[in-house]
Amino acid sequence: MNIISDIDVNLIKLENSKDGKFMNILCDDNPIVFTTPSFPVPFGLEESYNNKFIKVSLRNIRKSPEAQELYTFIESIEKKLVELIPDCNEIQSQLRNSAKYDPVLTVKIPMGKNAVIADVKDSTGAPFNLYGLSKGDFVRSTLVIDTVWYFRGKYSYKIKAKEIIVERN
């Protein structure tokens, strides 16, 4: 289990990829991998420009230490990336804030040959078809942060799902 509190953001470094098109994000010479507590998915599986993703609601962030910890952790990674990238003052955040709703974290679902690469299961450990993810389901996830790139004048990175455990209500 990769616990957020065990990851020292100060140890993050960037390494140019062999082809120079992106930079690898490393912490102790490995991609950043961490596990989240259970959070609701307010919209189900979404798609944009052939990319699939889910938005995880950091529900009750004012009262939930788990939601606060995850939010602060992602924010600190983003600040560290801006610090490490030469001539960068901003990175496209994966956190979305709203005055009216709790913040959401965007998680990319890795795809290969029209199939989900992430390991997706239900709470009993049985395989789960991610296309059946419903608005309001809860997910516990193992997430990976491994690359940052420059595209159309902006630095970006994605938080990718490695494992998703779907908990139905």
Side-chain angles (χ1 to χ4, degrees), residues 79-141:
K79 284 178 187 166
K80 185 67 176 178
L81 292 176
V82 168
E83 209 176 278
L84 292 171
I85 300 168
D87 303 319
C88 174
N89 355 333
E90 184 180 22
I91 194 158
Q92 191 172 355
S93 181
Q94 299 307 300
L95 292 164
R96 300 287 177 266
N97 291 301
S98 162
K100 194 173 177 182
Y101 301 104
D102 288 321
V104 293
L105 176 67
T106 302
V107 176
K108 182 176 181 177
I109 308 300
M111 301 291 291
K113 296 181 183 172
N114 294 325
V116 173
I117 294 173
D119 186 16
V120 185
K121 308 178 238 190
D122 67 16
S123 55
T124 69
F128 184 89
N129 182 339
L130 200 56
Y131 292 93
L133 187 68
S134 298
K135 181 172 140 173
D137 284 343
F138 280 67
V139 296
R140 278 183 288 131
S141 310

Side-chain angles (χ1 to χ4, degrees), residues 1-2 32-39 41 54 56 105 107-111 116-128 130 133 138-145 159-167:
M1 184 121 142
N2 303 296
I32 300 168
V33 179
F34 58 97
T35 304
T36 71
S38 183
F39 289 113
V41 178
I54 57 174
V56 178
L105 176 67
V107 176
K108 182 176 181 177
I109 308 300
M111 301 291 291
V116 173
I117 294 173
D119 186 16
V120 185
K121 308 178 238 190
D122 67 16
S123 55
T124 69
F128 184 89
L130 200 56
L133 187 68
F138 280 67
V139 296
R140 278 183 288 131
S141 310
T142 300
L143 305 176
V144 178
I145 300 174
I159 298 173
K160 296 178 239 176
K162 180 177 179 178
E163 179 184 58
I164 298 172
I165 298 168
V166 179
E167 300 168 342

Side-chain angles (χ1 to χ4, degrees), residues 5 28 128 161:
S5 58
D28 275 341
F128 184 89

